[in-house]
Amino acid sequence: KKPIIRPGTGILERLDGGEVVIGDGSFLITLEKRGYVKAGLWTPEAVVEHPDAVRQLHMEFLRAGANVMQTFTFSASEDNMESKWEDVNAAACDLAKEVAGKGDALVAGGICQTSMYKYHKDEARIKKLFRQQLEVFTRENVDFLIAEYFEYVEEAVWAVEVLKESGKPVAATMCIGPAGDMHGVPPGECAVRLVKAGASIVGVNCRFGPGTSLKTVELMKEGLGATGLKTHLMVQSLGFHTPDCGKGGFVDLPEYPFGLEPRAATRWDIQKYAREAYNLGVRYIGGCCGFEPYHIRAIAEELAPERGFLPLASEKHGSWGSGLNMHTKPWIRARARREYWENLLPASGRPFCPSLSKPDV
């Protein structure tokens, strides 16, 4: 069955109706590997300099099953991009809208934490930065808004308060682990504050791998439950395994950002993540850094029974390796089954490497 395109069905209508919404995946890390983003600054000039590269990645996520095209506007505020910020935000919206229009996808305008907050907790100046990006998103008429990648709940609340001024639905995800934000505010309390500020969807993104991210969302759910607040839950984890992370997440691991490949999740790891997220009650499931289109397809395939259809990219993929049935070698044909891939313990091929590292901080 093909997905039904329903123009005018917003994010909250979908979630309120019990639908699973599949997010998109990695832009900065993926486009850095492809040669279009510079590590360190991690700013999205590529939307102006190389729009075809950004469009292609959006298309790959759409084909893999994503229902949301996030604008590639991470760190695209004036404090990071100076005079270029406005053109970058507008171009990012145009690309996301163009691709979303080719399928059953919504456009989300995204903002993230400022570099200023750590040094000057100037609420008025920081809110002005958020408001500038919001003005572009409003002019471009995105479907909803996401405040993502916040280490501090105080700044995340400021972001939600600004985004709520638009009257559009607001999602808020923090880049925290089970230990809470960088001021020690526990995940449950972070979630409560975000909902009270006006967020309709809360959760986590980036910094931590699938298993850790779901633990944090579970703590958020418990905190909300204890105060009687109801909201939609969202998770967009790394596409890397990081059980050895400290409080600051994968950025503190010695392999960040150029040696993370041995930690990459398999498609089967992501099917497990999707199922566990679903069982936890999370209905907006996507990915962040390292989360490639085939990982998004894995979410869509795992949850196809609940959703009633497969993504277009599944035309080139047999469920649980069934495509290997065609192979001439019998031992490879023997891998065309779920039990094989679910129970595989993949080797890294690096005999002198540890399986875990020690964070630098």
Side-chain angles (χ1 to χ4, degrees):
K1 243 168 76 180
K2 292 282 191 297
I4 305 152
I5 296 177
R6 295 144 309 153
T9 315
I11 185 70
L12 294 181
E13 288 84 352
R14 294 180 187 211
L15 291 169
D16 288 341
E19 284 186 45
V20 175
V21 171
I22 297 180
D24 59 7
S26 169
F27 272 77
L28 286 169
I29 291 258
T30 297
L31 290 170
E32 191 280 329
K33 287 176 178 170
R34 294 183 183 187
Y36 300 105
V37 162
K38 190 167 188 179
L41 288 172
W42 299 117
T43 46
E45 298 89 341
V47 294
V48 173
E49 295 171 355
H50 303 284
D52 286 348
V54 178
R55 184 184 290 110
Q56 173 65 21
L57 189 50
H58 276 306
M59 284 298 303
E60 289 175 32
F61 285 126
L62 183 75
R63 184 175 153 76
N67 303 123
V68 176
M69 298 290 111
Q70 274 186 243
T71 57
F72 184 32
T73 48
F74 184 89
S75 286
S77 55
E78 190 182 28
D79 65 328
N80 292 319
M81 303 205 75
E82 296 169 341
S83 62
K84 291 188 284 193
W85 75 269
E86 192 163 8
D87 288 345
V88 163
N89 279 272
C93 289
D94 290 341
L95 287 166
K97 285 199 304 191
E98 178 195 332
V99 176
K102 297 177 191 289
D104 183 29
L106 300 167
V107 176
I111 62 169
C112 68
Q113 67 181 13
T114 63
S115 37
M116 190 190 295
Y117 178 85
K118 264 181 214 163
Y119 310 105
H120 313 285
K121 294 188 180 43
D122 185 331
E123 182 177 352
R125 275 176 73 192
I126 288 168
K127 281 187 165 178
K128 183 184 172 217
L129 291 170
F130 294 149
R131 208 166 272 122
Q132 285 174 322
Q133 284 186 273
L134 177 62
E135 280 165 12
V136 179
F137 298 148
T138 303
R139 192 163 71 233
E140 295 274 347
N141 197 26
V142 301
D143 296 302
F144 71 104
L145 301 153
I146 301 178
E148 68 171 6
Y149 199 83
F150 284 85
E151 294 174 283
Y152 300 93
V153 71
E154 180 179 50
E155 191 184 15
V157 162
W158 294 348
V160 171
E161 287 170 351
V162 169
L163 296 181
K164 281 297 288 178
E165 294 167 9
S166 68
K168 293 180 185 289
V170 176
T173 56
M174 297 189 64
C175 55
I176 60 172
D181 89 343
M182 297 311 268
H183 283 152
V185 181
E189 190 181 330
C190 289
V192 167
R193 288 197 202 173
L194 293 169
V195 171
K196 286 184 172 169
S200 303
I201 309 162
V202 299
V204 296
N205 80 292
C206 205
R207 289 287 179 98
F208 297 86
T212 313
S213 296
L214 289 174
K215 276 186 202 138
T216 312
V217 173
E218 188 170 12
L219 292 169
M220 286 184 156
K221 183 182 179 181
E222 285 169 8
L224 291 164
T227 47
L229 290 171
K230 275 201 163 59
T231 192
H232 297 292
L233 298 172
M234 170 172 177
V235 65
Q236 304 215 87
S237 91
L238 296 175
F240 304 111
H241 293 294
T242 62
D244 41 351
C245 270
K247 190 172 181 178
F250 83 139
V251 293
D252 297 335
L253 292 173
E255 300 93 336
Y256 173 85
F258 304 126
L260 289 162
E261 286 83 353
R263 294 174 173 270
T266 67
R267 63 196 71 194
W268 318 116
D269 294 332
I270 298 306
Q271 288 207 202
K272 181 171 182 267
Y273 157 78
R275 181 54 56 195
E276 289 178 355
Y278 186 87
N279 289 345
L280 185 59
V282 183
R283 291 295 178 269
Y284 186 143
I285 307 169
C288 206
C289 298
F291 225 93
E292 297 294 331
Y294 73 96
H295 291 126
I296 293 298
R297 180 179 64 187
I299 298 174
E301 291 189 346
E302 176 61 32
L303 298 175
E306 285 76 14
R307 302 175 83 223
F309 59 89
L310 286 164
L312 288 172
S314 293
E315 290 171 2
K316 301 292 184 185
H317 189 238
S319 175
W320 291 103
S322 61
L324 300 179
N325 274 324
M326 314 292 287
H327 210 280
T328 53
K329 295 183 170 73
W331 57 93
I332 296 179
R333 283 202 302 279
R335 298 173 195 160
R337 56 201 172 88
R338 178 174 183 154
E339 300 72 39
Y340 178 84
W341 295 110
E342 266 191 330
N343 296 309
L344 181 74
L345 298 174
S348 72
R350 298 171 183 269
F352 303 109
C353 291
S355 59
L356 302 174
S357 298
K358 200 172 179 339
D360 289 335
V361 183

